[in-house]
Amino acid sequence: MESRSRSRREILQTLGVSSLLPGLPTAALGRLADHENVAQETLPRPSDADSKPRYSIRFAVCGMSHDHIYGMVGAIQRGGGELVAAFGEEPDKLAAFTKRYPDVKMVKSADEILNDGSIQLVLSSTIASHRAPLGVRVMEHGKDFLSDKPGITTLEQLAAVRKTLAQTKRIYAIMYSERLEVKAAVKAGELIQSGAIGHVIQTINIAPHQVHQGHGDAGGGGGRPEWFWDPDLYGGILCDIGSHQVDQFLYYTGSTEADVVASQIANVAHPGRPRFQDFGDMMLRGNRGMGYVRLDWFTPDGLGTWGDGRLFVLGTEGYIELRKYTNVAVAKSGNNLFIVDQKEARYMDCSNLTLPFGPQFVADVVNRTHVAQDQAQCLLAAELSITAQRNAKRVHIRVG
């Protein structure tokens, strides 16, 4: 038995995954080794990962109600952005932001940022229902806008955004971070675009979240604010966290037109917050593929992170699975990609890869392009998630 265990480890070491051995249970080692067609690799760090950004811009933060703002700032800084000013209204959020960025000028009003002609880009994670009206003002002042998701919460807001875009020719971007800021999701896009699994037929997104947790930038480390519980302010579960998943459906299927086939929402276990929605799902049909999304606020404490996000992409020649934030009961690390094609099954550890959004988006601001995010696709994702929310059937489930 001991010699067999050694041979298993030798096999895995030849596959270049010896660094994963401490995180893999003995039984898992045996199962992996017993499948001759299973290949594993840790993708290398790109050779240009430490190269200096090609462009530079001056940007500001206007509203920091959700801690996603830190990831957004980090992305633009990686792309060459210089954070020069910030405005926030919540004292606790403002204090935390000031502590993190002590050299940034904290201004007294949004107007100080909007009227500063040297600022090219404004970022915001203000209360969700306030983001689109702010973005319209930003564009009217000749600046580009990057919003936390959901970037738009009503169809009326969407119409105003589209009208202002046509008038100003600015950029209205939404940080769908579950695709743009997840390395495994970026790699999945590369594989799909290269034809690795043929034509994409369907995406399935499972997106559990945790209401009360302390995992930093996930947004709940300091407790949830009152606006978090009000769908008029946060948009509702399908509009809010569902916008991430609709973005992925459009991107991976390549759909430029789509409809919401069905959607439903429920408050299963939060009777003290009767307007809150802790479960929702939707079915989507696009001109290039189909999609299903399940959302919930039921991540248990035992997971150790804020959610076990999964993506399944079915193609005509294979399929891909992403375990984005953890690999349950195997390893705590995220960015796990599994791909099966006509030749073999492969596991890819994508944690060494770099994220392209920041540099691409800064370049878009400078060059007036849309490489980092297609503008039409960005707004279509918002439209579909809002429509799913508006038309959702409210389901009452008895528990206990």
Side-chain angles (χ1 to χ4, degrees), residues 329-340:
V330 177
K332 293 182 177 181
S333 57
N335 287 303
N336 304 286
L337 186 153
F338 302 82
I339 179 170
V340 182

Side-chain angles (χ1 to χ4, degrees), residues 4-5 8-9 11-12 17 20-35 40:
R4 184 183 178 190
S5 178
R8 288 171 180 166
R9 290 179 178 271
I11 290 170
L12 289 167
V17 292
L20 296 177
L21 294 177
L24 290 172
T26 302
L29 295 175
R31 287 194 297 271
L32 290 172
D34 289 341
H35 289 276
Q40 300 203 11

Side-chain angles (χ1 to χ4, degrees), residues 283-298:
M283 186 184 301
L284 304 160
R285 182 188 300 124
N287 59 344
R288 298 278 294 170
M290 294 165 280
Y292 172 77
V293 174
R294 193 203 80 195
L295 313 157
D296 71 79
W297 288 99
F298 291 108

Side-chain angles (χ1 to χ4, degrees), residues 312-335:
F312 303 85
V313 186
L314 173 65
T316 54
E317 300 296 328
Y319 62 89
I320 289 172
E321 178 190 349
L322 303 186
R323 301 177 189 176
K324 295 182 179 180
Y325 311 114
T326 188
N327 197 1
V328 176
V330 177
K332 293 182 177 181
S333 57
N335 287 303

Side-chain angles (χ1 to χ4, degrees), residues 20 23 58 63 194 223 240 244 256 270 293 314 330 339 363:
L20 296 177
R58 289 167 59 86
S194 73
D240 178 22
H244 279 300
T256 55
H270 294 81
V293 174
L314 173 65
V330 177
I339 179 170

Side-chain angles (χ1 to χ4, degrees), residues 57-63 69 72 110 113-114 119-124 134-135 138-139 143-147 171 173 361:
I57 60 171
R58 289 167 59 86
F59 75 100
V61 166
C62 192
I69 195 64
M72 296 164 64
I113 290 172
L114 297 178
I119 293 173
Q120 299 158 270
L121 171 68
V122 175
L123 276 55
S124 183
L134 173 63
V138 168
M139 292 188 292
K143 308 178 192 307
D144 296 319
F145 186 64
L146 174 60
S147 172
I171 298 172
F361 190 70

